């Protein structure tokens, strides 16, 4: 994993993905990859369960590893959009050598309107 773009959706995540492709960071996992193929939804659901189910029961989260994320990210060398935002701290810990980009929208009202 080379790049973790951990900003939320509608903060330039698709433009950032395109820029990463121009810079030869191929393949960057993006929101569309979350639903295509549908089987990745099951893998994401399992990651969410691992992250939150333990926290609800014990107050502590289970550590997610690169191996856990690789079930969803497969051959991606970058990740952007909602998946990256949801798992930002865990991704940063799992891939310590990756560059981290936090993309933001400065105008929250404009961001809300874009959603």
């Amino acid at each position: 994993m080379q790049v973790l773009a951990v900003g939320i959706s509608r903060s330039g995540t698709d433009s950032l993905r395109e820029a990463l492709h121009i810079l030869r960071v191929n393949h960057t996992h993006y929101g569309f990859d979350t639903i295509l193929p549908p089987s990745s939804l099951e893998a994401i659901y399992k990651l969410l369960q691992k992250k939150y189910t333990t926290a609800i029961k014990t107050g502590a989260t289970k550590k997610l590893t690169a191996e856990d994320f690789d079930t969803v990210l497969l051959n991606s060398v970058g990740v952007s959009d909602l998946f990256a935002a949801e798992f930002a701290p865990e991704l940063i810990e799992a891939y310590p050598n990756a560059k981290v980009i936090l993309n933001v929208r400065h105008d929250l009202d404009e961001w809300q309107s874009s959603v």
Side-chain angles (χ1 to χ4, degrees), residues 69-86:
F69 288 116
D70 288 346
T71 62
V72 173
L73 300 175
L74 305 173
N75 63 342
S76 299
V77 294
V79 60
S80 176
D81 204 47
L82 187 57
F83 182 84
E86 173 63 40

Side-chain angles (χ1 to χ4, degrees), residues 20-65:
L20 291 171
H21 285 188
I22 291 168
L23 295 171
R24 305 279 188 246
V25 180
N26 291 315
H27 169 75
T28 301
H29 185 276
Y30 182 70
F32 300 122
D33 297 308
T34 302
I35 57 173
L36 300 170
S39 59
S40 68
L41 287 173
E42 292 178 38
I44 292 170
Y45 179 70
K46 288 178 183 177
L47 290 175
L48 289 166
Q49 280 186 307
K50 188 171 184 179
K51 179 177 180 175
Y52 291 111
T53 303
T54 305
I56 291 169
K57 292 179 182 177
T58 67
T61 59
K62 274 191 178 175
K63 184 175 179 176
L64 294 168
T65 66

